[in-house]
Amino acid sequence: MNPDMVKAGLLATVPFVRTLGLEFVELDEDRAVMRLPDDPAHHNHLGGPHAGAMFTLAESASGAIVLGAFHGLLDRAVPLAVRAEIHYHRLAMGPVTAEARLVRPRDEVVAEFDEGRRPEFPVEVGLRAEDGTGTGAMTVVWTLRPQR
């Protein structure tokens, strides 16, 4: 995997990531970490990041790990988010970081895809404030759809 290509690809194909100013902190085949900078234009009525901005941060981090983990399949598979569930545990203030990890082993998902099935696999995402305090958690279930 070339992390710079994955980062550039996500930023090029998902304009909303650029709109929010999401930043990559870390990216490899096992983990994606992205950051939502503190921007008053994205605040809610309490002065912290809007829930929609945090949802986008977490979903984007999940997409980055999917692109990183399955980059070798992108010529024949389209990754698609199937569903997502988010929990907001604490009020977030300031910058927020999302850390995403695959739950199912990558090789298991690839084998299922290679058998002609359309695998579904969850990505767990933790949200935290700049001081490391957990502020939320999200699970995004993805699939790999064969290219048409």
Side-chain angles (χ1 to χ4, degrees):
M1 173 191 67
N2 180 333
D4 291 331
M5 285 181 62
V6 172
K7 292 174 188 178
L10 186 66
L11 292 172
T13 58
V14 186
F16 198 46
V17 170
R18 294 190 312 273
T19 298
L20 287 177
L22 301 185
E23 305 164 346
F24 280 93
V25 176
E26 189 175 330
L27 178 62
D28 58 37
E29 289 185 357
D30 298 318
R31 185 169 87 118
V33 181
M34 295 183 75
R35 183 175 178 269
L36 172 67
D38 188 25
D39 184 336
H42 306 141
H43 284 179
N44 60 21
H45 61 290
L46 299 172
H50 189 279
M54 292 194 308
F55 184 101
T56 300
L57 169 66
E59 194 274 341
S60 297
S62 77
I65 192 62
V66 168
L67 292 174
F70 300 105
H71 64 279
L73 295 177
L74 297 180
D75 60 334
R76 56 192 183 108
V78 177
L80 297 169
V82 175
R83 61 187 169 277
E85 184 174 353
I86 192 163
H87 298 270
Y88 301 102
H89 302 303
R90 299 180 71 109
L91 178 63
M93 298 300 281
V96 178
T97 300
E99 181 176 342
R101 293 183 185 273
L102 290 176
V103 176
R104 280 184 69 191
R106 179 194 175 283
D107 293 343
E108 182 180 292
V109 174
V110 171
E112 192 173 321
F113 182 78
D114 287 342
E115 291 169 359
R117 295 186 292 162
R118 194 166 158 175
E120 288 193 2
F121 52 95
V123 175
E124 298 287 341
V125 185
L127 293 164
R128 64 180 182 267
E130 199 163 49
D131 66 1
T133 302
T135 60
M138 180 183 224
T139 301
V140 183
V141 176
W142 288 82
T143 190
L144 297 175
R145 185 193 78 199
Q147 289 274 12
R148 295 183 182 170

